[in-house]
């Protein structure tokens, strides 16, 4: 077994938008590196506002999109390396399962939803016959709080969004995956039911020893369930590490801003974070993308892209501030920061 269940190494995705002549490059995912240890199942939340590159990153992990550069390793197997063996075909589809944003798009209106469940069990050779498939389907449905008798024979439109998303979760469990990638799985569901589904991930993590990449624009839903959090801003992961460290002592000014807008006990959960729309030049600037909104901004932030700074053993932030403001910064950290400042 590899040390990491999931590892992203300098993953970038560049889209060309517009025509060939006047077109421009859009860096949707910008040099993202992070890893999820294999030792314990865990929940990694990727949090960022709309347009920050979360879905593109999820699609790359799900092998639905090729990165422009960089690599993704699942259990030590590189997915995109030229000539690499990767985790091809059936093995990959058993190890990594998706849950999408809109459960009504995940199931055709003309096919009974139980067909998807029995199909998954039989097609992936998980069940040897229909009887076994029934047992497996009944068990995964029970694990998401649903009864086979209640689900059988019905079409997607006979369920609520919340129920249908639970059925998507049940389906994703059938191949006994190691990793489930859920892209905004609760954003189309009634606000009052969202935490039920997110909390379900916690239960399933323990019961099935499955890890989750939980993608959300809403830090408040990630708050209680995450073991690790990656904060995305304009394609970059600007801070990454164990969630309690990030939530109690954020290193990146953008994380600080997000945390300031997270509802507390007496506020409603729905209150989201509203930031201005992205300007294209922010994707392209040779500077910190957050500089214009940062209350700690220094001249250097407008001239260079900050390095990923190791803030603690497991935590990193794409920012000069943790070194500048940290009384415990090492001599070599200070020296490298000074040399960047004088060079630029
Ligand atoms: N296929 C595509 N072609 C061109 N641009 C794209 C494509 N997919 C996504 N983008 C752009 O990449 C950026 C990141 O998008 P996305 O990954 O969907 O972000 P998020 O999921 O965080 O909202 C957006 O500006 C989006 O318009
Ligand atoms: Mg998205």
């Amino acid at each position: 077994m590899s040390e990491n269940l999931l590892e992203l190494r300098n993953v970038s995705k560049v889209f060309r938008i517009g025509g060939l002549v006047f077109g421009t490059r859009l860096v949707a995912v910008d040099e993202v590196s992070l890893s999820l240890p294999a030792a314990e199942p865990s929940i990694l939340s990727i949090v960022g506002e709309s347009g920050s590159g979360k879905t593109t990153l999820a699609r790359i992990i799900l092998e639905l999109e090729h990165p422009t550069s960089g690599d993704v390793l699942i259990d030590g197997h590189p997915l995109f390396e030229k000539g690499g063996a990767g985790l091809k075909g059936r093995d990959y589809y058993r190890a990594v399962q998706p849950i999408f944003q809109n459960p009504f798009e995940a199931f055709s209106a003309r096919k009974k939803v139980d067909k998807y469940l029995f199909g998954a069990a039989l097609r992936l050779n998980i069940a040897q016959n229909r009887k076994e498939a029934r047992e497996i389907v009944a068990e995964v449905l029970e694990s998401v709080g649903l009864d086979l008798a209640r689900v059988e024979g019905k079409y997607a439109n006979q369920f609520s969004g919340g129920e249908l998303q639970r059925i998507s979760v049940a389906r994703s469990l059938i191949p006994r995956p190691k990793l489930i990638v859920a892209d905004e799985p609760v954003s189309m569901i009634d606000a009052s039911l969202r935490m039920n589904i997110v909390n379900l991930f916690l239960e399933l993590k323990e019961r099935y020893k499955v890890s989750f990449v939980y993608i959300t624009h809403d830090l408040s839903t990630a708050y209680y369930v995450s073991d690790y959090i990656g904060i995305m801003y304009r394609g970059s992961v600007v801070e990454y590490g164990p969630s309690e460290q990030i939530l109690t002592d954020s290193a990146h000014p953008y994380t600080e801003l997000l945390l300031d807008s997270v509802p507390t006990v007496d506020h409603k959960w729905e209150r989201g974070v509203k930031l201005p729309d992205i300007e294209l030049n922010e994707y392209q600037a040779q500077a910190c993308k957050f500089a214009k909104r940062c209350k700690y901004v220094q001249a250097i932030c407008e001239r260079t892209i900050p390095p990923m700074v190791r803030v603690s053993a497991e935590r990193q932030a794409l920012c000069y501030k943790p070194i500048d403001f940290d009384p415990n910064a090492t001599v070599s950290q200070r020296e490298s920061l000074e040399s960047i400042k004088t060079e630029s």
Side-chain angles (χ1 to χ4, degrees):
M1 194 169 82
S2 158
E3 187 191 336
N4 290 317
L5 173 60
L6 171 69
E7 191 176 339
L8 305 185
R9 292 186 185 157
N10 304 101
V11 172
S12 293
K13 179 73 189 185
V14 180
F15 290 114
R16 284 219 139 263
I17 48 177
L20 264 182
V21 181
F22 296 105
T24 159
R25 293 166 74 245
L26 190 149
V27 184
V29 173
D30 193 359
E31 295 283 326
V32 168
S33 297
L34 51 83
S35 56
L36 200 56
E40 292 274 325
S42 47
I43 298 180
L44 159 63
S45 293
I46 302 277
V47 183
E49 67 193 286
S50 174
S52 57
K54 305 181 299 296
T55 292
T56 306
L57 193 64
R59 289 176 54 82
I60 290 171
I61 298 171
L62 288 167
E63 265 195 323
L64 297 171
E65 195 96 65
H66 257 257
T68 309
S69 56
D71 214 341
V72 178
L73 292 87
I74 303 282
D75 233 351
H77 301 278
L79 297 185
F80 301 104
E81 202 174 64
K82 266 211 178 107
L87 251 185
K88 291 270 159 17
R90 183 173 281 177
D91 281 345
Y92 176 81
Y93 288 105
R94 290 177 74 141
V96 186
Q97 290 290 313
I99 298 172
F100 296 108
Q101 184 168 12
N102 186 347
F104 290 98
E105 276 173 12
F107 298 95
S108 153
R110 289 185 296 277
K111 188 168 157 184
K112 290 176 183 149
V113 297
D114 57 22
K115 285 252 188 306
Y116 288 90
L117 299 165
F118 293 128
L122 290 165
R123 193 179 58 250
L124 292 164
N125 267 342
I126 291 144
Q128 301 309 314
N129 52 50
R130 289 208 66 88
K131 180 169 170 288
E132 260 181 55
R134 272 190 85 77
E135 284 163 14
I136 290 166
V137 169
E139 190 214 302
V140 291
L141 283 173
E142 179 267 317
S143 78
V144 300
L146 292 168
D147 223 33
L148 176 55
R150 151 118 190 69
V151 171
E152 210 167 11
K154 296 214 175 79
Y155 294 92
N157 64 5
Q158 294 175 276
F159 297 97
S160 71
E163 284 172 324
L164 210 52
Q165 198 58 303
R166 282 174 187 270
I167 296 171
S168 299
V169 175
R171 177 171 64 162
S172 76
L173 291 165
I174 289 173
R176 295 289 182 266
K178 293 182 174 178
L179 182 67
I180 290 175
V181 179
D183 185 6
E184 306 246 19
V186 296
S187 63
M188 314 211 37
I189 288 168
D190 277 358
S192 60
L193 299 175
R194 282 181 199 156
M195 278 319 290
N196 294 346
I197 292 205
V198 179
N199 281 324
L200 186 62
F201 293 167
L202 264 183
E203 280 172 48
L204 298 172
K205 175 182 86 162
E206 297 305 329
R207 178 163 173 173
Y208 292 106
K209 307 291 172 222
V210 58
S211 292
F212 286 85
V213 174
Y214 167 50
I215 291 180
T216 179
H217 63 271
D218 179 8
L219 186 56
S220 62
T221 61
Y223 214 86
Y224 293 111
V225 298
S226 316
D227 299 293
Y228 298 90
I229 291 183
I231 305 284
M232 276 192 95
Y233 184 79
R234 311 308 199 228
S236 303
V237 167
V238 294
E239 180 161 5
Y240 179 63
S243 61
E244 80 278 3
Q245 288 184 29
I246 290 186
L247 296 174
T248 55
D249 178 27
S250 57
H252 198 284
Y254 178 57
T255 314
E256 204 177 303
L257 182 74
L258 281 180
L259 282 169
D260 281 348
S261 30
V262 166
T264 44
V265 194
D266 34 335
H267 284 83
K268 280 207 173 357
W269 284 110
E270 305 94 279
R271 213 185 86 187
V273 177
K274 289 267 178 297
L275 284 171
D277 281 345
I278 305 161
E279 291 160 34
L280 256 184
N281 58 13
E282 280 189 70
Y283 279 113
Q284 296 161 338
Q286 286 300 306
C288 172
K289 296 169 194 167
F290 190 62
K292 288 200 168 50
R293 292 186 197 144
C294 183
K295 60 178 173 186
Y296 307 98
V297 66
Q298 310 174 46
I300 185 177
C301 308
E302 314 257 19
R303 291 198 308 267
T304 60
I305 299 170
M308 200 65 169
V309 172
R310 204 157 270 289
V311 183
S312 66
E314 293 177 285
R315 189 154 60 121
Q316 8 186 350
L318 198 70
C319 183
Y320 294 110
K321 174 180 164 260
I323 305 178
D324 258 3
F325 285 64
D326 180 8
N328 302 317
T330 63
V331 173
S332 76
Q333 280 178 320
R334 285 202 187 286
E335 279 173 2
S336 64
L337 179 63
E338 285 315 313
S339 72
I340 297 170
K341 282 187 178 178
T342 41
E343 268 167 34
S344 55

